[in-house]
Amino acid sequence: MVKKSSMAAAAEELGPAPGIQAAIAAASCCAKRGTRHTSGPGNRLNRTSARHAGCPPHLRPRARRPDVSQGQPMAGGSGPGRGSRRGYGETATYSVGGGALRAAGQLARSSEWRLARSSDGWDNSEAAVPLSEGPGLRGAMIRRVLPHGLGQGLLTRRPGTRRGGFSLDWDGKVSEIKKKIKSILPGTSCDLLPDTSHLPPEHSDVVIVGGGVLGLSVAYWLKKLESRRGGIRVLVVERDHTYSQASTGLSVGGICQQFSLPENIQLSLFSASFLRNINEYLAVTNAPPLDLQFNPSGYLLLASEKDAAAMESNVKVQKQEGAKVCLMSPDQLRNKFPWINTEGVALASYGMENEGWFDPWCLLQGLRQKVESMGVFFCQGEVTRFVSSSQRMLTTDDEMVILKRIHEVHVKMDHSLEYQPVECAIVINAAGAWSAQIAELAGIGKGPPGTLQGTKLPVEPRKRYVYVWHCPQGPGLETPLVADTSGAYFRREGLGSNYLGGRSPTEEEEPDPTNLEVDHDFFQEKVWPHLALRVPAFETLKVQTAWAGYYDYNTFDQNGVVGPHPLVVNMYFATGFSGHGLQQAPGVGRAVAEMILQGSFQTIDLSSFLFNRFYLGEKTQENTTM
C-alpha cells in the first residue's frame, strides 16, 4: 500500500478539486526529488541524501531505471484511468476514457483523474482527484488551496530551508558552520560551502518568465491581491539583468486612449490613473518617491480623407468608454497648432486628458523595487526546459488531444552550463518578443496543422527604430505626440529643442530582427520627408542619435494575448501587444492576477484576448496601432 503524503490526504478531505489543485498536490509529493545545482561547472550540491535523512526506506526516491533514457516516455497501461510513472526527464502519459473539448476552448473533463505518487514515481492508484467543470479550472488551485492551508510548507518556506511551517536563517547557519570549521582548523581560510544565494528557490507557486514591466506587473498584482500576506511564492526569471535589449527601456514611453477596441481603451484609462497616482501603488518605506516625469501633452492623430470615417467612429467609442478626446477640422488644427501643415489632412483627433508620455525606465525600476519589498524572488537566468505530465482526452469530434501540466521549470544560470530545477504550479509567459520560443518549450504548437494542439503563439520580434534630432525652430513645449497620416510620428524630448520619433515599416520594409543595429538611411528616405512635409521647420533638423528596440508583434491581429492556454492548462500569457504593452502593463498585470486567483477576469473583461481566438480564426483587430 502506497503511503499518502499529508497534502494528498488533505486534498481528499476537501472533496472534489479542480485539476490545477492536483498539480500543487503532486508538486508537493515530488518535492523531495531532485538536486540543487550551483553556478560553477561540475559543482553540484546534492541535497538528496540530506533531504531524505530519517525517511522510511519505502518513501525514499529510487534511482532512475537504467532502461529509460531522459525524455523517453515510460511504458504504461492502456486502459482507462491507467497511467505511466514519471521520473525527472520522463513524461507520464495518462489515458482517460470519454470527455470532450468544446470549440471555444472550454475543456470537458473525464469523471476523475487519479494522481498520486508512489515511492519511485507518479502513480494513479491513489487519491482520486475529480476534475471540475467550468472556467475556474485553471485559477482554482490558488483559490481553493490557500484557504484550507494546503501546502503551507511549500508556500512559506524560504530557499535553503527544510519543508515545514517554519523558516531558518540560512545565511546565519552558513556563517555559524564556517566559524566552527575555522575554530577546528585555525589559520585556514574557510570557503568550503559554495555560495547559492544567486540561485532561484527549489519551489515556487508561480514562475514568471520575463522581468519587463508586464512580468513585474503580474508579480505586483499577485502579491497585492493575495488573500494572505506571504501566501503566494513568486519567482521572476529575467535573462538580461541589464535590460539593455528589453523593450521597456527602449520604448518612447507614450500612453493614449485613442484605440478602436473598448478593451484597449479601458486598459489605457486604468494605466493613466495608475501612473498619475504611482506612489499610492509603488511607494516603498524609506525609499524616495517615484517621479515618472509624466508629460500630459496628449496625442494628436491625423487622418486622410479615406481614414476620416474610421477615425470618427473610433472617437465615438472612446468617448463612450470615458476618454476625453475631441475631433478637429483642418482649420481648428491650424488655429491651435500654427506650426503644422494641414495638407492632406481631412480630420484630426486630440486627446485632452490622461495622454502623453513618461519615463519607462523609472516605471520598470519602481515596479521591481516594490515587488522585491513584497517578497518576490528574482533570478538572472534563462528558462531552457519544462518538465510536464500529460493526460489524453477526446474532443467532441472524437479527436484525441493531450492536456499538459508543467511541474518543473529548468533555469540555466548565467555564465554556467548548470541549471536549477524549480518546481511550480503556474507559469506566466511574459517573455515579450521571445514568448513564442517559451511557448514552444511547453509543446504549444507542436501538433497537426489546423488543430488546437498545432496552433502556435503568433508572436515574433519586430525591430523598430527611434531617432532623436535637434531643431531650434521646431514646435514649442505644448507640442503633443503627433502621428501623421503616413505613419510617421514625433514628440518633444526634454526642454532643449530635441525631438524623437520614427515610423513603423511596411511588411516589405521589415528589417532583420536578429540584431539591434540602426538603419540611418531609413530615416533619410522613409521618415524625414514625411516629417518635413507636416512640420516645415523640420527641414533643417539634425539627427543626434538613434536606437532600435523590439516589438512583441502579434502577426494575427496586433493585439495582446492574455490568460491561460487551453491545453497547457497552467501556462498563462501576458504578451503580444505589438507596441502598446508598456502603457497597458498595469491593467494587464491585474487581469492576469485576477484570472489566476479568482478564475476569471474581474475588472476588465479581456476574454477577446484569449489564446483560443488563434485556433478559431476570430481576429480582435485593433485599427490604430502605430
Side-chain angles (χ1 to χ4, degrees):
M1 177 177 179
V2 178
K3 184 176 180 180
K4 302 174 185 176
S5 69
S6 61
M7 290 190 68
E12 288 186 342
E13 293 179 5
L14 287 177
I20 206 162
Q21 182 172 338
I24 198 169
S28 70
C29 293
C30 67
K32 292 191 176 85
R33 307 194 67 164
T35 60
R36 185 175 177 88
H37 300 263
T38 67
S39 61
N43 257 340
R44 172 172 297 182
L45 182 60
N46 191 331
R47 298 187 178 179
T48 303
S49 59
R51 187 181 293 115
H52 295 282
C55 292
H58 67 284
L59 291 181
R60 299 178 182 175
R62 301 176 184 174
R64 183 184 288 119
R65 284 171 39 185
D67 59 325
V68 179
S69 61
Q70 186 171 5
Q72 176 183 358
M74 301 178 69
S78 59
R82 301 182 61 189
S84 62
R85 296 176 178 177
R86 181 183 70 82
Y88 279 147
E90 293 87 60
T91 301
T93 303
Y94 294 86
S95 177
V96 182
L101 182 66
R102 300 187 183 94
Q106 288 288 348
L107 303 175
R109 313 291 180 232
S110 60
S111 59
E112 62 179 24
W113 179 22
R114 300 182 181 274
L115 189 68
R117 180 180 177 274
S118 66
S119 59
D120 63 341
W122 293 94
D123 200 312
N124 66 342
S125 59
E126 291 285 330
V129 181
L131 292 178
S132 62
E133 296 279 354
L137 170 64
R138 304 169 182 86
M141 177 274 298
I142 298 292
R143 190 173 67 255
R144 295 195 56 187
V145 171
L146 293 182
H148 297 279
L150 285 182
Q152 289 181 356
L154 176 65
L155 298 177
T156 61
R157 264 188 324 126
R158 293 172 53 194
T161 65
R162 293 183 180 273
R163 184 177 302 278
F166 62 92
S167 64
L168 298 176
D169 185 351
W170 176 247
D171 294 335
K173 292 294 182 182
V174 171
S175 177
E176 184 179 340
I177 293 172
K178 286 184 177 182
K179 288 180 180 179
K180 290 183 178 179
I181 295 176
K182 191 171 183 179
S183 66
I184 298 174
L185 303 173
T188 304
S189 62
C190 182
D191 195 16
L192 302 180
L193 294 178
D195 179 16
T196 60
S197 60
H198 65 289
L199 296 178
E202 296 178 353
H203 312 278
S204 183
D205 300 311
V206 180
V207 174
I208 300 176
V209 185
V213 289
L214 280 164
L216 294 177
S217 178
V218 175
Y220 168 77
W221 285 106
L222 282 172
K223 301 300 290 182
K224 179 78 172 178
L225 300 178
E226 63 183 354
S227 59
R228 177 170 58 87
R229 184 176 180 181
I232 305 175
R233 191 183 184 98
V234 180
L235 168 67
V236 176
V237 181
E238 171 58 47
R239 66 178 182 179
D240 179 17
H241 72 285
T242 65
Y243 293 98
S244 60
Q245 296 189 3
S247 300
T248 300
L250 300 174
S251 168
V252 298
I255 178 171
C256 78
Q257 287 87 50
Q258 298 183 58
F259 293 98
S260 61
L261 292 176
E263 294 90 341
N264 282 331
I265 300 169
Q266 293 171 28
L267 283 171
S268 289
L269 282 170
F270 173 74
S271 293
S273 174
F274 185 93
L275 296 176
R276 281 189 172 277
N277 302 282
I278 191 69
N279 285 294
E280 294 182 12
Y281 292 98
L282 302 186
V284 175
T285 304
N286 296 327
L290 297 175
D291 181 11
L292 293 180
Q293 302 179 36
F294 183 59
N295 188 324
S297 295
Y299 268 50
L300 178 65
L301 309 186
L302 308 180
S304 62
E305 191 67 42
K306 69 182 183 67
D307 296 325
M311 173 175 283
E312 194 170 355
S313 175
N314 292 344
V315 170
K316 183 178 180 180
V317 175
Q318 293 156 16
K319 288 183 176 180
Q320 290 174 349
E321 297 298 330
K324 299 295 190 296
V325 182
C326 70
L327 290 172
M328 302 176 67
S329 67
D331 290 339
Q332 292 171 323
L333 195 58
R334 280 191 297 267
N335 290 334
K336 186 169 182 62
F337 305 109
W339 43 263
I340 199 168
N341 175 17
T342 59
E343 179 184 347
V345 176
L347 195 64
S349 62
Y350 177 55
M352 299 179 291
E353 189 176 307
N354 292 327
E355 289 193 342
W357 54 91
F358 61 95
D359 182 359
W361 182 256
C362 181
L363 176 61
L364 175 70
Q365 295 303 315
L367 276 168
R368 175 152 183 170
Q369 179 179 254
K370 180 62 176 181
V371 298
E372 283 182 325
S373 72
M374 301 169 84
V376 173
F377 194 95
F378 278 85
C379 170
Q380 178 188 349
E382 183 177 359
V383 172
T384 58
R385 185 177 178 232
F386 296 114
V387 177
S388 60
S389 61
S390 304
Q391 178 188 9
R392 298 181 182 274
M393 301 191 87
L394 294 175
T395 68
T396 53
D397 299 326
D398 292 331
E399 177 187 352
M400 183 67 70
V401 297
I402 300 176
L403 298 182
K404 290 187 176 182
R405 187 179 305 280
I406 299 170
H407 297 285
E408 189 176 271
V409 179
H410 286 188
V411 181
K412 179 181 172 296
M413 308 314 299
D414 196 32
H415 305 302
S416 173
L417 298 177
E418 305 254 355
Y419 69 89
Q420 169 70 26
V422 181
E423 294 175 2
C424 63
I426 291 174
V427 175
I428 310 295
N429 187 344
W434 299 272
S435 55
Q437 300 174 17
I438 299 300
E440 288 179 4
L441 287 178
I444 294 173
K446 295 183 177 180
T451 65
L452 182 58
Q453 194 167 340
T455 302
K456 298 179 180 294
L457 177 66
V459 176
E460 62 184 39
R462 293 285 181 93
K463 184 163 70 172
R464 296 292 181 263
Y465 305 122
V466 178
Y467 303 92
V468 179
W469 61 88
H470 181 70
C471 184
Q473 294 78 34
L477 294 177
E478 295 184 356
T479 302
L481 190 151
V482 180
D484 187 40
T485 56
S486 63
Y489 70 91
F490 72 93
R491 69 165 175 82
R492 285 190 64 95
E493 175 66 3
L495 304 176
S497 298
N498 293 321
Y499 304 82
L500 63 77
R503 184 177 75 84
S504 292
T506 63
E507 288 293 331
E508 296 77 18
E509 299 169 345
E510 282 292 347
D512 180 11
T514 57
N515 60 67
L516 287 179
E517 295 179 358
V518 176
D519 182 359
H520 292 277
D521 291 336
F522 184 81
F523 180 83
Q524 295 294 327
E525 298 171 4
K526 305 295 184 180
V527 182
W528 179 57
H530 299 291
L531 295 174
L533 175 64
R534 191 59 59 208
V535 183
F538 283 161
E539 291 182 358
T540 60
L541 63 80
K542 290 185 178 180
V543 176
Q544 293 185 322
T545 186
W547 68 83
Y550 288 116
Y551 274 11
D552 51 340
Y553 192 81
N554 177 356
T555 60
F556 183 74
D557 58 13
Q558 293 78 61
N559 258 305
V561 189
V562 183
H565 188 271
L567 297 182
V568 183
V569 295
N570 61 338
M571 173 171 277
Y572 291 72
F573 297 104
T575 186
F577 287 90
S578 307
H580 51 271
L582 170 67
Q583 62 177 293
Q584 296 182 345
V588 171
R590 182 179 62 175
V592 174
E594 289 173 349
M595 176 63 76
I596 292 173
L597 298 176
Q598 303 183 52
S600 63
F601 299 120
Q602 300 292 312
T603 312
I604 301 176
D605 185 5
L606 299 182
S607 299
S608 59
F609 289 174
L610 290 170
F611 182 94
N612 301 331
R613 73 185 195 269
F614 305 135
Y615 168 66
L616 298 174
E618 299 175 351
K619 290 188 176 183
T620 305
Q621 195 73 49
E622 174 56 59
N623 300 322
T624 60
T625 303
M626 287 193 297

